[in-house]
Amino acid sequence: MKTALATLLLAAPAAAQTPLYVPATEEAGITHAYTGDEWGYMVGGGVAAFDCSGDALPDLWMAGGDGPATLWRNSSTSGGPLSFAPVTGSGADLSQATGAWPVDIDGDGITDLAVLRVGPDKLLRGLGDCRFDDASAALGFDGHDLWSTAFSATWEAGQTWPTLAIGTYIDRMEDAFPWGSCTETWLYRPSPAGGYAPPLALEPGHCALSILFTDWARRGTPDLRVSNDREYYKGGQEQLWRMDPGAAPRLYSEAEGWARLRIWGMGIASADITGDGLPDYFLTSMADNRLQVLAGDPSRPAFRDDAFARGATAHRPHTGNTTAPSTAWHAEFGDVNNDGRADLFIAKGNVARMPDFALEDPNNLLMQRPDGTFVEVSVAAGTASTRTARGGALVDLNADGLLDMVAVNRWDGAEVWRNATPSPGNWLMLMPRQDTGNRDAIGAFVEVRSANRTETRELWVGGGHGGGQLGWRHFGLGASDRAEVRVIWPDGTPGPWHTLPANGWWVLPRDGVPVAAPPPG
């Protein structure tokens, strides 16, 4: 008996340090809700985190549904309390917004904003000082008049402007019987004459709720992954569009390894969980969440589901007495205790009042243990809110090297938690930079090597649910006081390795040595 118990204890996975979060919504001064009728705004409700003021602190834009979007300027002090103020007259306070993603479209070093709406989408040009103007017409951007719900951007070979992809949802004219009325995904490529050419419809559309340009096989060209809501499509499935240079996009087939998968696809999160240098994908759904890793030959898009094996199913509420399944929306990987392993935040909430799914549905915080499995800690961490969440973010809001947490809720106030984990690990903040065009190096891979392990991070714009981030890239280092860092740039050129001391901000120029930056703020 003692031998069996000893064997069991030896086999048990090592514990992950539980982070500590403190409620900081009132401290931050943020008051916002995603509103609208049950039908028209049942999806969306995202948050975008990016620096619009020029002080390197992440500011927050939040979708408002049938109310105005709000923009919040960050004035937090380094390592101190969170402090935000609303920006009035920003030009980004659009109504009917479902979400937004920050991206520097024109390469001027000022972040722009792609805003999706129940109605015409907009490209907002950043003017600096958290001011924006509607540049849609000037850029030749046809925002259509649809129900837009997903966004991603990439720089195709030879282009100085990004290719944009926008996923749309249900035909709003078919609300009496919407099933099977999914509208197209739209691809916007730069025009040789300037601005954007007329968009290309990627058909069939299966009610996309999250899309992501991602180089899943490290072949040098990101493809377009689309996660679709099976509640409304007929005969649809998850999709992967092959994006060969100079060729029309085409869907990968089952003969090529793409397996038919049908879920209530809500959001996509990506990180290298297996340590093989390739991105893995967490797909949120109603109960049926998936953690997909490449199953074998990287020339074939054949993925296996590791959610159960790694304890990352998150398919039912982890608190309360209900046995009804969960509804998951935004998901995001991030190292919340700086131990060098990516953890997983999932925003949860019933679509509206669907009785077959949990009405009290707490958000998840899944900590990754040393063996690659996950354990739920949100109750102990203090983040297990049961408000009806939609969008979210893991982002360092007060420049202390710890990832704070944001959730946008439907019909209820947004929530902010400040990470106050005692004695966390060390960390690095990195910002790869190119001189022109794709200044933020979207499509690059960053490798951080410390303590005999290497973390590989693909840089992308897209995924999540209703919003994303742009700015400093956070890496936890555990006990290591330094790390070796290099960038494989979007064109595949590997940069040199550089050894950097921990707990600092470093700009990584494409042609030059790392530059230490002062703490933001």
Side-chain angles (χ1 to χ4, degrees):
M1 181 67 69
K2 289 183 179 180
T3 302
L5 179 59
T7 301
L8 178 62
L9 291 173
L10 287 172
Q17 181 196 9
T18 299
L20 173 64
Y21 279 89
V22 297
T25 311
E26 185 174 346
E27 168 189 302
I30 292 177
T31 56
H32 177 88
Y34 182 66
T35 61
D37 62 67
E38 289 195 17
W39 166 253
Y41 295 96
M42 62 182 176
V43 300
V47 55
F50 64 105
D51 173 27
C52 65
S53 65
D55 64 359
L57 281 171
D59 306 299
L60 298 174
W61 177 99
M62 296 181 177
D66 67 356
T70 58
L71 182 63
W72 300 86
R73 188 194 298 262
N74 190 350
S75 59
S76 305
T77 57
S78 181
L82 303 184
S83 178
F84 287 80
V87 181
T88 58
S90 67
D93 53 352
L94 302 175
S95 63
Q96 300 176 276
T98 58
W101 282 257
V103 56
D104 187 356
I105 294 173
D106 53 11
D108 65 354
I110 302 175
T111 302
D112 309 306
L113 205 57
V115 181
L116 305 193
R117 304 172 70 232
V118 181
D121 303 323
K122 301 291 185 181
L123 296 184
L124 304 185
R125 178 188 287 116
L127 304 175
D129 196 31
C130 293
R131 296 289 185 262
F132 298 83
D133 70 359
D134 183 357
S136 305
L139 299 177
F141 174 77
D142 178 1
H144 295 108
D145 184 5
L146 299 169
W147 188 348
S148 297
T149 45
F151 178 86
S152 191
T154 190
W155 272 256
E156 296 189 81
Q159 297 291 341
T160 57
W161 282 31
T163 292
L164 313 177
I166 294 179
T168 66
Y169 199 46
I170 300 165
D171 185 341
R172 306 196 321 273
M173 301 300 104
E174 300 291 339
D175 59 344
F177 189 80
W179 291 272
S181 67
C182 299
T183 49
E184 303 90 341
T185 295
W186 292 94
L187 190 73
Y188 297 81
R189 281 175 158 151
S191 168
Y196 281 96
L200 174 67
L202 301 184
E203 299 176 295
H206 293 322
C207 288
L209 286 178
S210 190
I211 58 179
L212 182 66
F213 281 112
T214 174
D215 192 358
W216 57 273
R218 301 286 297 269
R219 68 185 185 94
T221 302
D223 294 319
L224 181 63
R225 183 158 198 155
V226 185
S227 193
N228 298 302
D229 182 4
R230 70 175 292 179
E231 181 72 11
Y232 292 100
Y233 62 62
K234 287 184 176 179
Q237 59 173 305
E238 300 291 280
Q239 295 170 304
L240 184 64
W241 291 89
R242 185 170 176 118
M243 300 286 296
D244 288 323
R250 66 169 182 83
L251 285 169
Y252 281 91
S253 67
E254 292 187 19
E256 293 174 293
W258 182 252
R260 181 179 180 86
L261 175 62
R262 304 185 70 189
I263 60 174
W264 290 272
M266 310 287 201
I268 304 173
S270 177
D272 176 18
I273 298 301
T274 61
D276 62 359
L278 297 171
D280 307 308
Y281 305 96
F282 188 81
L283 310 177
T284 59
S285 178
M286 300 172 76
D288 198 12
N289 303 305
R290 303 297 180 101
L291 176 57
Q292 291 199 322
V293 303
L294 205 61
D297 180 359
S299 68
R300 292 171 56 82
F303 291 86
R304 72 171 187 268
D305 180 31
D306 268 11
F308 276 95
R310 293 180 180 270
T313 57
H315 60 293
R316 294 187 187 278
H318 55 83
T319 62
N321 299 318
T322 182
T323 59
S326 281
T327 304
W329 299 91
H330 180 84
E332 187 172 336
F333 287 103
D335 186 355
V336 298
N337 59 359
N338 291 342
D339 65 356
R341 293 182 290 273
D343 310 305
L344 180 60
F345 163 54
I346 308 171
K348 295 277 192 70
N350 198 289
V351 172
R353 300 172 182 86
M354 297 181 69
D356 292 338
F357 291 84
L359 297 177
E360 298 288 322
D361 203 356
N363 298 336
N364 292 95
L365 182 57
L366 296 168
M367 300 295 298
Q368 187 182 171
R369 296 179 282 204
D371 65 351
T373 62
F374 290 83
V375 59
E376 173 60 51
V377 301
S378 64
V379 173
T383 61
S385 172
T386 56
R387 296 186 185 182
T388 306
R390 287 294 187 267
L394 289 177
V395 57
D396 182 3
L397 295 173
N398 61 345
D400 62 356
L402 291 168
L403 293 177
D404 306 301
M405 185 183 295
V406 181
V408 172
N409 298 309
R410 189 177 191 199
W411 302 324
D412 209 339
E415 294 171 284
V416 182
W417 295 267
R418 176 165 47 83
N419 193 331
T421 301
S423 303
N426 293 319
W427 49 271
L428 279 175
M429 286 290 195
L430 304 178
M431 185 178 289
R433 276 290 188 219
Q434 300 187 123
D435 289 337
T436 59
N438 181 9
R439 294 174 60 92
D440 295 295
I442 302 304
F445 284 82
V446 179
E447 296 179 341
V448 175
R449 190 162 61 195
S450 64
N452 299 317
R453 68 184 301 274
T454 299
E455 180 178 356
T456 303
R457 179 91 56 85
E458 183 182 18
L459 306 187
W460 33 255
V461 171
H465 185 83
Q469 302 175 30
L470 193 64
W472 292 103
R473 313 287 180 165
H474 170 269
F475 292 82
L477 300 181
S480 298
D481 62 0
R482 64 192 60 249
E484 296 176 284
V485 175
R486 74 167 178 172
V487 181
I488 293 87
W489 297 95
D491 63 1
T493 301
W497 288 97
H498 298 283
T499 300
L500 303 178
N503 304 329
W505 285 261
W506 294 88
V507 178
L508 307 178
R510 174 157 183 155
D511 299 310
V513 298
V515 178

